[in-house]
Amino acid sequence: MNILWDPDPSALERYRFALGPDTTALDSSGMVARALHDNPQVEQVVIGADVPVEEACQLSEAARLDRPELGVILLRSRIDVTTLSQALRAGVREVVGADDHTAIADALRRSRELTSRLIGHAGGGAAREGKVVTVFSAKGGVGKTTLSTNAAVALASEGHRTLLVDLDLSFGDVAISLQLVPHQSIFDAVSMSGNLDDEALRSLVTRHEPSGLDVLCAPNDPGDADRIPVPTVAEVIKVARRSYDYVLIDTPPSFTEHVLASIDVSDALVLIATLDIPAVKNLRVALDTLDMIGSPKDARVIVLNKADTKVGLRPEDVESAIKTGIAVNIPNSLTVPASVNRGVPIVLDEPKAPVAVAIKELVESHIRTQRASEEPDHGDAAARKGLFRSRR
Ligand SMILES: Nc1ncnc2c1ncn2[C@@H]1O[C@H](COP(=O)(O)OP(=O)(O)OP(=O)(O)O)[C@@H](O)[C@H]1O
Ligand SMILES: [Mg+2]
């Protein structure tokens, strides 16, 4: 799909022949940025002759880092050496005379070919896919929802296309934590099973406006949980990872079939413990279970929440009990329940609070390990190995 960025409302009609039918016209840089953010199908941006060269270069520079496969073509009424070198330095693929429609069509064709080659290199022909991260603990109340919502909001606020799926199907509280009023939920995906696509998924999510995060909420009626087949969850995640840079999954406190399906297709698994014996014991059991089912150890990120609680158990004791290092310690703070009660995630409410800083460290060091655009592609979702590699 192409975007024509041109302030002139008649431009689309004028360039129709050169650009083809799959082109949408937008008249401002904000709208173009938004469309690129929301729509991974956009592969070419053609920038009209009246858009200032500085603005065009800014867009191209940003896209070069975030979406290297995106083709940017600049139209100019007069092409001089300064414009040409400025544009090419910013990563614009071609600068073409605005009146030469044949040259525009040729440039677009070359750019499309380059885009396909780049996508091909990144994924053996498959589109680049987002990173799926499941947040889990076998014990309730340790902070799964707190960490998954805040991590997802942090990613979305940085401009990454992020989806949070509430897989705590009976008692999910992501919606209430973010003060969302969902009209649709993951239950509505059931009737679309087998035919779920990007557009259908987008009709089911609820936008958290302050951050730009999309949320696929749990059903309103807890009874609907049992009516969601496991393959529907797998399909939702498969479709979601094609449209989002990050798909985070909040879970109930047990290894349900839905949770197993989610872990199976995840690239990373955040496991949470707190400083109490039952939580540590449950983490140990969860790790043993994951070992047994062949989930790779290197995809696990152990987080100790409320890590500074003075209860006689120390983080070192937890590490020796679970025989695994803790990746991130998150302090205990009353600001967390207070922010939940206000319905504003702490990473937005009090970004400098130690809890928010620790959550952002979790995101930066263990979830957003690389820029989304640099992340390795996972290839064909059907063929790729999930976390349960040895089971396949
Ligand atoms: N670092 C923290 N400091 C203080 N309170 C916290 C912290 N993290 C979470 N909490 C509080 O602990 C409670 C449980 O957190 P949360 O709902 O995130 O846990 P959960 O694992 O999702 O629970 P459940 O298993 O019931 O879904 C909440 O009241 C939350 O505000
Ligand atoms: Mg929860």
Side-chain angles (χ1 to χ4, degrees), residues 135-139 142-145 147-148 270-274 279 283 301-305:
V135 178
F136 179 71
S137 90
K139 182 168 182 291
V142 296
K144 294 179 293 296
T145 302
L147 297 191
S148 56
V270 174
L271 294 160
I272 307 172
T274 46
L283 177 54
V301 180
I302 311 286
V303 174
L304 187 62
N305 192 19

Side-chain angles (χ1 to χ4, degrees), residues 140-146 168 253 305-306 330-333 336-337 340:
V142 296
K144 294 179 293 296
T145 302
T146 305
D168 190 349
N305 192 19
K306 310 183 195 179
I330 310 230
N332 186 25
S333 168
V336 176
V340 173

Side-chain angles (χ1 to χ4, degrees), residues 7 49 68 116 120-121 152 184 199 231 274 282 286 295 314 375 378:
S116 320
H121 270 299
Q184 310 277 351
E199 213 171 305
T274 46
N282 281 341
S295 154
R314 298 163 310 158
E375 273 163 13
H378 310 296

Side-chain angles (χ1 to χ4, degrees), residues 94-106:
E94 301 209 23
V95 183
V96 190
D99 296 332
D100 191 344
H101 290 208
T102 311
I104 296 171
D106 285 346

